Amino acid sequence: MKTIKCMMDHLYWADGRILDALEESKTKNKNLLKLVRHVAVAERVWLDRLQGKGSAQYSLWEETEDLTAIRAMFEENAEQYRIYIEGLKEFELDEMIDYENQSGGAFRTSARDILLQVLLHGQYHRGQINRALRIESAEPAQVDYITFTRL
C-alpha cells in the first residue's frame, strides 16, 4: 500500500507539472490538448469504476482549449483518489471490481491492477505530451519519478 500511495503522489505531482508546461508553451495544438484532457478523464473513469459507479457518461476523446478546466479535473481527481486510497485496506487491493468499459463490454479487474493502470497510463501519455512539446520547441516537463523523490 505504501508503494501505491507514493506512486499516486507522483501522479498528482506529474499531472500538475505537465499542465504547467502546457500553459507555459501556450500551445494551441488541438491533438495535444485533447491528449491531456484524455488523461484527466481516464483518471476519473477509473476512479468511478473503483467506487462501483458507471462511467458511460464520460467521453475519453474530446477536443478542448480550456486548460483551466482540465487542471480543475486533475485536482478533483487527486482529492477523490486520496480519499479512496486512505479508506482502502491492504487486502482490498486484491478485491475484484466488476465494470463496463466505454463500449459496454463487461470486465472484472482487481483494485490493485486498476490503480496500476491509472499510474502507467498517465505516465505513458505524459511522455507523449513531452515529446510533442519538444517538437513544438517548447520546454518539456521533468516528470521522472526520481525527480519527484528528490523533492
Side-chain angles (χ1 to χ4, degrees), residues 38-118:
H38 168 77
V39 175
V41 173
E43 286 179 11
R44 177 80 47 92
V45 164
W46 284 112
L47 179 63
D48 279 6
R49 291 172 182 168
L50 285 165
Q51 294 172 329
K53 302 175 191 172
S55 62
Q57 71 273 26
Y58 297 111
S59 173
L60 288 169
W61 294 104
E62 273 183 22
E63 288 189 6
T64 186
E65 294 180 13
D66 191 354
L67 282 175
T68 302
I70 295 170
R71 185 178 294 277
M73 189 181 304
F74 275 128
E75 289 171 356
E76 175 69 15
N77 289 346
E79 180 181 328
Q80 293 303 311
Y81 269 104
R82 282 185 177 106
I83 292 167
Y84 172 79
I85 289 170
E86 282 305 313
L88 199 61
K89 308 268 188 293
E90 181 76 31
F91 74 91
E92 291 173 312
L93 286 170
D94 295 315
E95 288 186 356
M96 300 303 284
I97 309 288
D98 294 309
Y99 62 93
E100 288 185 2
N101 68 6
Q102 298 312 99
S103 302
F107 292 90
R108 186 178 178 117
T109 307
S110 71
R112 180 186 315 274
D113 286 339
I114 288 173
L115 289 168
L116 289 172
Q117 166 62 23
V118 171

